[in-house]
Amino acid sequence: MLKSIFQTLNLLGLLFVSLFNIEDLEITHEGPSEIQPGESTEITIQINKGDFSGPARLKLNFENADGLTPSEVNSAGSSFTFSNNEALFIWYLIPSDEVVTLKYKINASEAAIGKKKITGAFSYLDENEKQQV
């Protein structure tokens, strides 16, 4: 009897938690997997952030992407900078839209040959705690 009461309470607890579960933040990007030396291509990044608001930052690291240079196309209200092999999109207040769409262009120099790796991190505050994806 006691065991069935605990099982029922556990099931109700799981149901309660699932009702208030916040969707996970999801980031997707679209762009070609290859670019020819001397050419450029446009990259789209979509941040499905749900309903949070506040400051946020997207940092793209070009340290292992010699010969590739990003330039701003659509920063979705952020300030864009590129220096020291880092592209930064910084929002003091990220747009209230559930999905934020950024676009930037990658320019490849004539000397850009071989595999390159661009890494990134999205940081934001959630109830005054720094979160990173």
Side-chain angles (χ1 to χ4, degrees), residues 12-24 51 127:
L12 288 175
L14 287 174
L15 178 64
F16 182 73
V17 169
S18 67
L19 289 175
F20 293 101
N21 189 16
I22 298 173
E23 289 183 38
D24 292 335
D51 62 355
E127 297 182 15

Side-chain angles (χ1 to χ4, degrees), residues 48-102:
N48 186 348
K49 62 173 194 60
D51 62 355
F52 87 84
S53 63
R57 177 184 81 171
L58 176 65
K59 178 172 114 176
L60 301 176
N61 186 339
F62 284 78
E63 189 173 276
N64 297 316
D66 293 333
L68 300 182
T69 307
S71 59
E72 176 185 7
V73 174
N74 177 8
S75 62
S78 69
S79 66
F80 172 83
T81 58
F82 178 69
S83 65
N84 298 324
N85 292 319
E86 289 183 350
L88 294 174
F89 295 88
I90 298 174
W91 293 270
Y92 294 104
L93 182 62
I94 196 162
S96 60
D97 301 335
E98 189 172 309
V99 177
V100 176
T101 302
L102 299 168

